Amino acid sequence: MTGNAFDEMGEGDRLRPAYRAIAEWLRKTPPTDLAAKRAEAEVLFRRVGITFAVYGEGGDPDRLIPFDIIPRILGRSEWDGLSAGLSQRVRALNAFLADVYGRQEILKAGKIPEHLVVGNEQFRPEMRDFTPPGGIYTHIAGIDVVRTAPNQFYVLEDNARTPSGVSYMLENREAMLRLFPRLLAQHRIAPVNHYPEELLATLKAAAPERAGPDPTVAILTPGSFNSAYYEHCFLADEMGVEVLEGADLTIEDDVVYMRTTAGPKRVDVLYRRIDDDYLDPKAFRPDSMLGVPGLMAAYKAGNIALCNAPGCGIADDKAIYPYVPDMIRFYLGEEPKLENVPTYLCEQETHRSYVLEHLHELVVKLAQGSGGYGMMIGPHATQAERAEFAARIRARPQDYIAQPTLALSTVPTLVEAGIAPRHVDLRPFVLSTKDEVRIVPGGLTRVALREGSLVVNSSQGGGTKDTWVLDRDPMTGGVPC
Amino acid sequence: MLSRAAESLFWLGRYTERAANVARGLAVASRMASLTDELNAENDQWRSLLVAAGCEPAFFQHHREATEEKVVDFLIRDPGNFSGIIPCFAAARQNGRSVRTSLTVDMWSALSDSWTRLRHVTPADFQGEKLHGFLEWVRERVLLFNGAAMDTMLRGEAWLFVQLGTALERADATARLLDVKHDLLGGPSREVTVQHGQCQAVLQSVSGLRAYQWTYRDRIEPGRVAEFLILNREMPRSLAACYDRVCEVLELIAAGQGGRRGECHRMARATQAALHAGRIEDIMRGGLHDYLTETINGVATLGGEIEAFYIRA
């Protein structure tokens, strides 16, 4: 796969201008120096405690996600195009959520089959006919984007519930600033460190009106055993707000309070990083120990804002994904600026027979899965694995979707054997209020560290890179872009 | 601050202090055991240590005899002993992790780097000849943590709850240490060398040998050792000094909350006042063991009141 993929740096006369200084730096720096810097980076990350625990795996509970010291670079105009597309997409997703929990115009217009929405596990009837403060549902979205050519970006999936990874975006930049101050100074890189401020402004804007101009914001975490716990604490610290567990909250007369050493204190906005299912044992899973009984009632009484709103899962469901371009046309009256990856829904008979005949060239995914679990990459799968997936698809077609295997772009990466191209994706974080959509330039670049691998998920051995958006486009100087 | 955070910080203070106290106890017991038979006549150094650490019953659930090797293993590594050095560090780190953002990077590094080494420690790293070096390292790590807290932590409630945990744990450790030796310190005089060696050991375990000599400028006598470690407010590990610190910290927390106080404040002040006014002769007359038992219970009750007022309210 790697050989014929688009390499974002390029080489020789195809060296792309944004990478000119990096190419020079890589050429001049002895491999031992790079290895030393990588070791130094690992010490930095371990020291700040940024670790990632993987559910259901033994081994090191404080595993680090590997950090690659070679940055991934986007030119200004590349980013501007991408950013406009992301903003458009998230506006449509919010409009879709308001609609499916409200008048359901898009279903009435026949643009999306009704059963895909109303019959979906991710659809929360509890949210019908309730409008969250400001009418925004997914305040914080992470949109996974891949690239196959200089001007060809695809949205691989939307994460409208509780996307994680932004702490890596911030810590990666911090690490680069400490490791390579000169290299960064040579480039003019758009800063990312104001993300926590933007996030806090977004959360405050979501507060119920009665909270006044300075609402009390807190993060609700499943606890220190969650893989993203570091991130929850990190963001709380950066924003100067508390990070709460369910047991820290009490609810009286539909008003939410946190327990403090000085007595109960009212909370107005919860940036919750707990899944819907566990949010409130009274409203959702009764066996949940993580949530807060009565939280949904307090939410619907208008006493607290939940970010993101419950029920956002219907917008990022893989079965709904193929319809996002139609949503953009339907709600915004615009043509989509970013493309979807062509997607086959196995529950549709014509799609299913195509999928079953082309398993060797498709990626098959669970419609409900995430984190790279339960997927099969056709070209890399064995005959037996393909046969197994064929049987699973026939048994439960509604659970599976399939997409062509894209030749994801590559970026030079420091691996055992030296510097080699590795496939990457990008997760930018999109913040929405009723007035505007804000995106900090860049996002989290994930890199598949194994040669030829297309799976970038950290739970599957992926790493991360710092993502640079240049403040200006580099001079092209006649070099093809 | 959040009650749960206060709880974690309080226990962070307690567990780090406990790890160091166990290390101090082990170092002294090991020293005593290596002295002459005469000095070690009762051959109960290891058993006394278990009593001082409050883990004697738990130990004898699994072991019949308190040999050096078994006690050392129990007090350092045994994952079933929550008051062991490595489990204390694990608990301290877990508590620290859940309030990671209240700690400074230096405090976290002190905790986390210690844990990074401790989780790979095997008996070969602390038994026999390795024991002394290992215990020294543990003590240094806790000193580093305390120093990092002292030098870098914002003086807010988070700081105060760590201090509260440390001071309360230290009071408990000193009372237990004295209680193990109450026969020696409060009883009739014995053969001088035995007495001297044991008193020295008690003082060493609280880093107080020099301090004693500076204070009394005279030979080491059991009654004075008791007085020094109970009533001397200048000796940082004495009961009086620990209670001074507990009261000071509780008052600072109350001041930050507009003077909100509870039973824990009253209780701590009452004990502090008794320590200020106390005379060693009176304590001895009433029986040192009874006094110390009451003190140990008092520390436990105070801990419960602090949790009731700030954490479980």
Side-chain angles (χ1 to χ4, degrees):
Chain A
M1 183 52 71
T2 317
N4 46 22
F6 161 59
D7 188 73
E8 296 191 11
M9 181 164 91
E11 56 184 339
D13 12 315
R14 304 188 52 170
L15 177 67
R16 299 179 66 250
Y19 279 90
R20 206 176 282 147
I22 287 294
E24 182 62 12
W25 169 65
L26 290 176
R27 197 179 57 76
K28 286 202 307 216
T29 312
T32 47
D33 287 11
L34 290 176
K37 283 291 186 185
R38 179 170 59 182
E40 202 180 318
E42 180 162 343
V43 171
L44 281 179
F45 280 95
R46 181 114 14 226
R47 169 129 330 156
V48 298
I50 183 163
T51 56
F52 182 89
V54 182
Y55 286 119
E57 285 179 18
D60 187 351
D62 296 316
R63 196 164 69 78
L64 289 177
I65 297 187
F67 169 68
D68 185 66
I69 58 173
I70 305 174
R72 192 251 190 112
I73 306 178
L74 296 169
R76 188 76 226 183
S77 50
E78 288 174 337
W79 170 253
D80 287 344
L82 189 55
S83 166
L86 294 165
S87 162
Q88 178 195 50
R89 190 168 177 107
V90 173
R91 277 186 290 134
L93 292 175
N94 270 311
F96 170 74
L97 285 160
D99 186 29
V100 293
Y101 291 120
R103 301 157 62 112
Q104 302 193 329
E105 304 282 2
I106 201 165
L107 306 183
K108 287 177 195 151
K111 299 286 180 190
I112 302 180
E114 190 174 338
H115 78 275
L116 279 185
V117 174
V118 180
N120 196 305
E121 277 178 41
Q122 295 299 325
F123 183 75
R124 302 284 176 193
E126 297 86 348
M127 291 296 288
R128 278 309 299 272
D129 303 319
F130 167 79
T131 310
I136 297 294
Y137 287 74
T138 181
H139 307 79
I140 302 107
I143 308 296
D144 292 348
V145 177
V146 296
R147 187 180 198 181
T148 56
N151 295 308
Q152 188 64 63
F153 289 94
Y154 288 99
V155 172
L156 194 60
E157 65 181 43
D158 304 293
N159 296 278
R161 287 171 257 187
T162 54
S164 60
V166 78
S167 56
Y168 290 93
M169 171 181 90
L170 296 167
E171 294 283 27
N172 287 354
R173 178 62 53 82
E174 271 315 299
M176 291 299 280
L177 281 164
R178 288 181 65 165
L179 294 168
F180 307 108
R182 284 216 193 133
L183 188 63
L184 272 85
Q186 274 177 38
H187 295 79
R188 290 183 164 276
I189 304 163
V192 294
N193 56 7
H194 56 298
Y195 178 83
E197 280 171 44
E198 302 285 348
L199 176 61
L200 185 59
T202 303
L203 295 167
K204 284 186 172 179
E209 224 166 279
R210 56 133 282 280
D214 193 20
T216 301
V217 174
I219 294 182
L220 180 61
T221 175
S224 61
F225 296 100
N226 183 268
S227 62
Y229 182 68
Y230 170 81
E231 176 159 306
H232 308 159
C233 295
F234 174 83
L235 290 174
D237 195 28
E238 293 281 318
M239 293 193 288
V241 306
E242 297 289 358
V243 54
L244 306 176
E245 294 176 16
D248 294 326
L249 290 168
T250 52
I251 298 180
E252 231 167 280
D253 298 330
D254 289 341
V255 177
V256 182
Y257 300 92
M258 54 185 173
R259 291 177 221 266
T260 77
T261 54
K265 183 171 183 212
R266 187 163 181 162
V267 184
D268 303 304
V269 181
L270 278 178
Y271 175 25
R272 52 93 175 200
R273 299 287 297 258
I274 296 184
D275 290 343
D276 288 358
D277 274 344
Y278 299 96
L279 205 49
D280 177 355
K282 278 191 183 162
F284 304 115
R285 281 180 63 155
D287 59 338
S288 170
M289 304 293 285
L290 302 174
V292 191
L295 189 57
M296 273 304 276
Y299 178 58
K300 292 179 84 170
N303 287 329
I304 190 150
L306 296 176
C307 301
N308 293 342
C312 284
I314 193 61
D316 67 15
D317 187 73
K318 290 196 181 69
I320 299 297
Y321 163 89
Y323 300 95
V324 177
D326 289 330
M327 284 178 203
I328 294 171
R329 294 183 193 101
F330 186 79
Y331 296 114
L332 308 179
E334 298 169 9
E335 273 308 299
K337 296 182 165 100
L338 284 174
E339 278 191 63
N340 256 19
V341 182
T343 301
Y344 306 98
L345 298 177
C346 293
E347 75 163 356
Q348 292 180 15
E349 204 186 323
T350 48
H351 285 189
R352 180 164 66 246
S353 46
Y354 178 87
V355 169
L356 291 171
E357 278 164 33
H358 295 82
L359 277 178
H360 59 285
E361 56 192 46
L362 297 173
V363 179
V364 181
K365 297 176 181 174
L366 276 172
Q368 304 279 354
S370 67
Y373 295 101
M375 67 187 274
M376 181 202 76
I377 298 175
H380 296 180
T382 63
Q383 190 67 41
E385 284 165 340
R386 286 202 289 268
E388 187 199 326
F389 263 77
R392 287 203 221 167
I393 290 169
R394 285 196 187 91
R396 292 188 60 83
Q398 70 278 18
D399 287 355
Y400 292 92
I401 62 159
Q403 294 171 331
T405 315
L406 298 181
L408 303 193
S409 59
T410 58
V411 175
T413 301
L414 187 60
V415 295
E416 288 305 317
I419 297 164
R422 289 291 181 265
H423 297 291
V424 294
D425 81 347
L426 176 66
R427 174 178 290 182
F429 295 88
V430 183
L431 301 174
S432 301
T433 64
K434 65 181 194 306
D435 302 316
E436 58 179 332
V437 175
R438 287 179 273 202
I439 312 175
V440 168
L444 176 65
T445 289
R446 298 185 296 179
V447 53
L449 294 172
R450 260 188 306 124
E451 188 175 1
S453 169
L454 294 167
V455 187
V456 296
N457 302 80
S458 47
S459 51
Q460 310 277 311
T464 70
K465 282 173 171 288
D466 191 16
T467 311
W468 295 0
V469 172
L470 301 184
D471 251 351
R472 277 184 230 139
D473 275 326
M475 300 292 285
T476 46
V479 181
C481 243
Chain B
M1 82 181 312
L2 274 188
S3 298
R4 178 174 47 82
E7 183 177 26
S8 292
L9 291 159
F10 178 71
W11 284 100
L12 171 62
R14 292 201 72 156
Y15 279 122
T16 44
E17 180 66 20
R18 190 173 296 176
N21 290 334
V22 172
R24 287 168 183 279
L26 273 167
V28 173
S30 146
R31 185 187 157 90
M32 293 299 293
S34 62
L35 291 177
T36 61
D37 271 355
E38 188 184 22
L39 215 70
N40 201 18
E42 297 160 52
N43 196 21
D44 66 352
Q45 290 314 318
W46 300 109
R47 195 183 175 115
S48 314
L49 183 60
L50 290 168
V51 177
C55 9
E56 193 197 19
F59 178 86
F60 285 106
Q61 267 175 20
H62 301 283
H63 305 285
R64 231 185 288 160
E65 210 185 338
T67 64
E68 168 174 349
E69 193 185 344
K70 281 179 180 160
V71 173
V72 164
D73 188 73
F74 188 74
L75 290 179
I76 290 179
R77 187 205 57 85
D78 193 332
N81 174 21
F82 298 127
S83 292
I85 290 174
I86 294 176
C88 275
F89 265 98
R93 184 175 177 281
Q94 188 56 40
N95 278 292
R97 189 169 187 252
S98 70
V99 285
R100 174 63 189 85
T101 55
S102 303
L103 309 185
T104 61
V105 170
D106 294 316
M107 290 170 79
W108 176 250
S109 301
L111 266 185
S112 203
D113 295 351
S114 310
W115 177 240
T116 303
R117 172 165 167 197
L118 283 173
R119 56 199 285 236
H120 300 298
V121 159
T122 63
D125 299 313
F126 59 75
Q127 289 287 7
E129 295 293 309
K130 296 279 183 68
L131 181 64
H132 181 74
F134 177 80
L135 296 172
E136 198 53 33
W137 178 81
V138 168
R139 241 166 40 82
E140 281 171 13
R141 294 307 298 182
V142 177
L143 287 171
L144 179 67
F145 173 80
N146 288 341
M150 186 68 77
D151 272 13
T152 61
M153 200 176 181
L154 194 68
R155 295 307 196 253
E157 260 192 20
W159 154 260
L160 293 171
F161 275 98
V162 177
Q163 293 299 300
L164 194 54
T166 306
L168 205 64
E169 183 69 28
R170 193 171 288 173
D172 183 63
T174 299
R176 286 176 188 280
L177 171 75
L178 291 172
D179 196 29
V180 170
K181 299 286 174 204
H182 72 264
D183 272 349
L184 163 78
L185 299 171
S189 278
R190 302 179 210 193
E191 211 265 296
V192 172
T193 39
V194 175
Q195 194 167 281
H196 185 83
Q198 298 222 358
C199 285
Q200 242 188 351
V202 168
L203 288 169
Q204 267 167 347
S205 80
V206 294
S207 308
L209 189 54
R210 282 279 163 76
Y212 176 94
Q213 277 150 355
W214 273 105
T215 305
Y216 291 97
R217 296 177 189 283
D218 202 351
R219 91 173 39 245
I220 299 175
E221 280 176 22
R224 282 182 178 165
V225 172
E227 179 184 49
F228 186 56
L229 292 183
I230 296 172
L231 300 172
N232 189 312
R233 296 173 65 190
E234 289 176 350
M235 167 61 198
R237 312 187 75 88
S238 75
L239 290 174
C242 291
Y243 266 87
D244 281 350
R245 186 72 181 133
V246 167
C247 288
E248 184 190 355
V249 170
L250 283 173
E251 278 309 306
L252 286 167
I253 297 171
Q257 297 186 356
R260 189 172 160 270
R261 290 186 183 81
E263 173 60 14
C264 53
H265 296 80
R266 191 202 62 78
M267 237 179 121
R269 269 200 315 274
T271 310
Q272 182 194 30
L275 284 161
H276 287 184
R279 291 191 310 177
I280 196 66
E281 299 78 19
D282 299 334
I283 291 171
M284 293 296 188
R285 204 171 304 130
L288 185 60
H289 176 60
D290 288 351
Y291 174 82
L292 291 168
T293 305
E294 200 184 308
T295 303
I296 292 165
N297 293 338
V299 170
T301 314
L302 178 56
E305 288 296 337
I306 288 168
E307 296 203 46
F309 188 68
Y310 286 115
I311 293 163
R312 317 234 173 273

